[in-house]
Amino acid sequence: MNKLSSSEAWSPRLALLVAATFFMEFLDGTVLTTAIPSIAGDFGVPSASVNITMTAYLMTVAMGIPLSGWLAERLGARRIFCLAIAVFTLASLLCAASQDLTVLTVSRVLQGLGGAMMVPVGTLLVLRGTPKSDLLRATAYLVWPGLLAPVLAPLVGGALTTYLSWHWIFLINLPLGAAAFLAALRLVPAVPGDRTRRLDWLGLALTTAGVGALVAGLELASGHPGGVWTWPSILAGALALAGAVFWMRRAAHPLFDLTVFGTRTFRATNLGGFIYRLTISAVPFLLPLMFQNGFGWSPLHAGIMVAAVFIGNIGIKPATTPLIRRFGFKPVLVFASLASAATFAICAMLTPATPEPLVFALLVFSGAFRSIGFSAYASVQYADIVPGQLTSANAVSATLVQLATGAGIAVGALLLRLFESDSLLSSGFGAILSAGPDGGGVAAYRGAFLSIAVLMLLSTADSLMLHRHAGAEVSRPGPVPAEAPRPHRPA
């Protein structure tokens, strides 16, 4: 059971601190992209070889999350959170000091380990002291790093690499990490851990191996869909996770309390919400490729246009909480997914002749709908979770978020590969996709966008099955309506 202090209360300063550490972790997941040629030149290796530093980081983050919840309960969340910041900061220094690709990769693994503990443990620190009436406000702080980091990553990475050197991508973390560590010592409440809590070694081994194999397979699928190890890795990961679920449903002291899936709002977030995040994650992958390869735009031109998505993300953020409070979670989730599916379908109709202001406006709206859905899912998933389940719910959710992000890019790449095949393009369906002015150059992208629009409708269907008062304790503080379902409590 979680050890909760009755004196803990909603702390905006703590939420802001955790959001700042999330921002560092999210930023470092993608910021190296623009620095890869410079790193390759310094180390004397092909640019493609440097990709391993990004893959190693993302895999370590995903594989480390399952253990973080147990560590927080065993040793205390404050201690683990501070340790995570220290490890992340020290690893950043080692990355900057690396003299070859091997040392940089090992340092990135260590950095990913720190990030793996910062994400779920930081969320746990905020959520466990937040009353349900303030949960919308708390999660609003925690959502913005994931929306803002993709916007700043190319700009920060490009500016530091161009005007200083790639080393500064990591050196900039040192003052930020030191400030975060000192703030954590002051702001994070000290709650003792449960030294008697046992570790489910088999559950941990199966979960970690499964997540690692899945992430590796998804990374291979996004870059080399036809690779010999792609599908065996994905299959092995799925089998390992299935084994972990089978074991933890029967273990006396499981790594995760899987009864959290008996809570309808949590299940919706991590089933329909998984599909939502997957399809949303495919868009920033598909758009730049369509603009460059299909429209013939320069990388800078395409990058400026894609930034419209993130302008919409940030611009609508102040309105997301009032919208959820006014209409409730179910209508907001249904609207966000339907509106997103519509924007994807319209993206499929774009051509090089489409006026650019219209394209920009479409992407701003797409980003706004994306932000509304993200905020609603982030809040409703914990609406009916009881305190004893919070650690398991948090770790399971963080793991699935990582997998959904990787799966989105992989699905986007696989769809492009499918619709680029000669057999499909020569069929009647291929003729439909190629119809219109300059349609041949964007046929595969049309098929991909239409496909993710259909996928998005699956999350709509899941949201439609929610009770109309789902999450009412969070969205509309006060007495829960009599017909609202009560939170699931394990026997």
Side-chain angles (χ1 to χ4, degrees):
M1 295 290 291
N2 279 345
K3 293 201 172 192
L4 300 175
S5 170
S6 60
S7 63
E8 288 180 297
W10 156 241
S11 170
R13 290 190 299 170
L14 175 59
L16 189 60
L17 166 64
V18 172
T21 61
F22 285 10
F23 182 78
M24 288 197 301
E25 191 272 322
F26 293 151
L27 190 69
D28 275 50
T30 54
V31 72
L32 270 191
T33 303
T34 52
I36 283 177
S38 179
I39 296 173
D42 281 1
F43 291 164
V45 298
S47 293
S49 300
V50 182
N51 284 332
I52 191 175
T53 63
M54 296 181 61
T55 302
Y57 177 84
L58 295 174
M59 281 187 63
T60 307
V61 169
M63 294 173 68
I65 288 173
L67 180 61
S68 64
W70 178 84
L71 287 173
E73 288 199 335
R74 174 73 185 232
L75 303 177
R78 179 179 188 265
R79 182 176 298 173
I80 296 302
F81 185 61
C82 291
L83 175 64
I85 296 173
V87 169
F88 187 89
T89 305
L90 175 62
S92 297
L93 176 61
L94 296 177
C95 288
S98 299
Q99 299 297 311
D100 57 54
L101 186 60
T102 300
V103 175
L104 178 60
T105 303
V106 172
S107 300
R108 286 283 279 175
V109 168
L110 183 61
Q111 192 183 38
L113 181 61
M117 293 188 290
M118 282 198 304
V119 172
V121 177
T123 302
L124 181 63
L125 283 167
V126 173
L127 297 180
R128 72 178 186 180
T130 302
K132 294 295 177 68
S133 59
D134 288 320
L135 191 57
L136 270 177
R137 293 173 58 202
T139 53
Y141 281 81
L142 302 180
V143 168
W144 71 262
L147 298 174
L148 191 57
V151 188
L152 294 183
L155 300 176
V156 171
L160 291 176
T161 303
T162 301
Y163 297 107
L164 296 171
S165 72
W166 63 265
H167 305 82
W168 283 92
I169 290 175
F170 301 107
L171 290 175
I172 198 172
N173 287 332
L174 302 185
L176 297 176
F181 183 82
L182 294 175
L185 291 177
R186 180 173 181 176
L187 295 177
V188 178
V191 179
D194 181 3
R195 295 283 181 170
T196 64
R197 184 170 178 80
R198 297 167 57 185
L199 178 61
D200 176 12
W201 288 99
L202 180 57
L204 176 65
L206 288 171
T207 303
T208 303
V211 170
L214 265 182
V215 171
L218 293 172
E219 284 287 307
L220 290 171
S222 63
H224 307 283
V228 66
W229 293 108
T230 301
W231 292 109
S233 180
I234 292 175
L235 178 60
L239 290 175
L241 289 179
V245 170
F246 179 84
W247 164 256
M248 283 187 279
R249 285 188 178 277
R250 291 156 180 78
H253 303 283
L255 181 67
F256 298 138
D257 177 8
L258 296 182
T259 62
V260 294
F261 283 101
T263 303
R264 181 65 184 93
T265 47
F266 183 82
R267 189 166 68 249
T269 300
N270 292 285
L271 294 179
F274 183 90
I275 298 171
Y276 183 88
R277 292 186 180 95
L278 183 154
T279 53
I280 288 295
S281 298
V283 174
F285 170 78
L286 291 171
L287 282 175
L289 292 179
M290 182 175 74
F291 290 151
Q292 293 178 65
N293 300 335
F295 290 13
W297 292 359
S298 69
L300 178 60
H301 190 177
I304 292 173
M305 189 62 72
V306 173
V309 174
F310 304 109
I311 291 173
N313 284 344
I314 303 303
I316 197 66
K317 195 71 192 71
T320 54
T321 295
L323 283 172
I324 294 170
R325 291 207 187 280
R326 171 66 180 84
F327 297 104
F329 283 110
K330 180 179 178 177
V332 167
L333 288 172
V334 170
F335 168 76
S337 56
L338 281 176
S340 294
T343 61
F344 300 158
I346 297 173
C347 283
M349 301 299 108
L350 297 178
T351 71
T354 306
E356 291 187 19
L358 292 181
V359 178
F360 193 88
L362 171 64
L363 299 187
V364 168
F365 278 108
S366 180
F369 302 144
R370 176 182 190 264
S371 183
I372 292 171
F374 265 119
S375 298
Y377 274 122
S379 302
V380 75
Q381 67 178 333
Y382 300 113
D384 300 320
I385 294 294
V386 297
Q389 295 178 315
L390 187 56
T391 299
S392 292
N394 182 51
V396 169
S397 176
T399 302
L400 290 176
V401 166
Q402 290 286 332
L403 292 178
T405 302
I409 298 173
V411 167
L414 290 172
L415 287 171
L416 281 183
R417 185 180 178 88
L418 171 66
F419 287 106
E420 285 172 347
S421 64
D422 293 336
S423 59
L424 185 59
L425 289 178
S426 61
S427 67
F429 185 51
I432 295 174
L433 295 178
S434 301
D438 300 311
V442 296
Y445 297 99
R446 283 183 175 175
F449 274 110
L450 288 174
S451 297
I452 65 170
V454 172
L455 276 176
M456 178 61 81
L457 294 179
L458 296 179
S459 71
T460 306
D462 186 69
S463 296
L464 284 170
M465 291 187 289
L466 281 171
H467 193 280
R468 67 192 182 98
H469 292 301
E473 189 178 356
V474 171
S475 63
R476 299 177 185 179
V480 179
E483 64 270 33
R486 305 309 301 172
H488 171 81
R489 297 177 185 270

